Amino acid sequence: MYRVRVRSVPPVVLALRRFPNPRLTGIGAGLFAALTMFVLACVDRLLFDSSELVYGLLFLPVSALTALWVRPADLVTAPISVPIAFAVGVFPISGGSEGLGGQIMGLVTALAVHAGWLYGGTLIAGLIASVRKVRQMRARRRYVLAQGRGGAPAPERAPRSAAASAAAAAAAKPVRAGAGGAGAAGAVTRRPQRP
């Protein structure tokens, strides 16, 4: 007799399953990341005096959440929208001087100085999106195989001539015992056996 093995789910997994699991479109994921990073940069400016370390550390989980929450059809947008969100969020903590030119120079300088955080968050988003895409492709392949559509394609058949088709159809017809004709002369009839 076989015993059914029930695997217990770790409490960490149960806790993570309670979190919201939205499915954002590509634009929605980009807006989520940009607005979140802008708000976090404003909080960083107020509470931590524009700390680059705090902003970079907060950027990494936002990148991961963006890649986790984007819907499967828009997975390619996650690694694209995350650097844009970083640039939008770094504006309040860039510390540029007065005027438009000073603000732009401060933004470019902050992007250059924080390039490590930018690359790290983009790499996290790209890895998560790639893993999700591979899992989606494997699930689709398993579904197709389960439906019986997978495997090697059927071999192509050579077209039959009209005479060959008629001969095959005549051979497939059942022949009655005692029926005359050239086709039935050599045919042996068999009774179906009962189980």
Side-chain angles (χ1 to χ4, degrees), residues 90-91 94 101-114:
V90 84
F91 185 73
S94 62
Q103 291 292 330
I104 291 174
M105 286 305 295
L107 180 65
V108 170
T109 304
L111 286 174
V113 170
H114 305 310

Side-chain angles (χ1 to χ4, degrees), residues 10 24-25 31 66 77-78 80 87 92 96 103 111 116 119 126 136 142-143 149-151 154-157 168 188:
L24 302 172
T25 63
L31 287 174
T66 303
T77 62
I80 297 169
Q103 291 292 330
L111 286 174
Y119 293 146
Q136 178 189 9
R142 274 181 289 190
Y143 175 76
R149 297 183 202 148
E156 293 184 22
R157 295 182 181 173
V188 177

Side-chain angles (χ1 to χ4, degrees), residues 72-73 75 132-150:
L75 279 173
R132 285 186 60 200
K133 185 65 176 177
V134 168
R135 290 182 66 195
Q136 178 189 9
M137 289 168 52
R138 285 183 181 168
R140 183 179 299 152
R141 186 178 309 152
R142 274 181 289 190
Y143 175 76
V144 168
L145 290 175
Q147 296 297 321
R149 297 183 202 148

Side-chain angles (χ1 to χ4, degrees), residues 112-130:
V113 170
H114 305 310
W117 294 111
L118 175 63
Y119 293 146
T122 306
L123 180 65
I124 288 173
L127 286 175
I128 291 174
S130 299

Side-chain angles (χ1 to χ4, degrees), residues 33-174:
L35 290 175
T36 303
M37 288 313 300
F38 186 79
V39 169
L40 290 175
C42 291
V43 170
D44 179 25
R45 184 174 181 175
L46 291 174
L47 298 179
F48 301 104
D49 196 28
S50 301
S51 170
E52 298 90 6
L53 179 65
V54 172
Y55 181 76
L57 288 174
L58 291 174
F59 175 65
L60 299 179
V62 170
S63 301
L65 287 177
T66 303
L68 286 172
W69 287 351
V70 70
R71 67 183 183 175
D74 296 329
L75 279 173
V76 72
T77 62
I80 297 169
S81 59
V82 165
I84 297 170
F86 185 88
V88 168
V90 84
F91 185 73
I93 63 168
S94 62
S97 61
E98 294 295 325
L100 181 63
Q103 291 292 330
I104 291 174
M105 286 305 295
L107 180 65
V108 170
T109 304
L111 286 174
V113 170
H114 305 310
W117 294 111
L118 175 63
Y119 293 146
T122 306
L123 180 65
I124 288 173
L127 286 175
I128 291 174
S130 299
V131 168
R132 285 186 60 200
K133 185 65 176 177
V134 168
R135 290 182 66 195
Q136 178 189 9
M137 289 168 52
R138 285 183 181 168
R140 183 179 299 152
R141 186 178 309 152
R142 274 181 289 190
Y143 175 76
V144 168
L145 290 175
Q147 296 297 321
R149 297 183 202 148
E156 293 184 22
R157 295 182 181 173
R160 292 184 179 179
S161 65
S165 297
K173 289 183 182 177

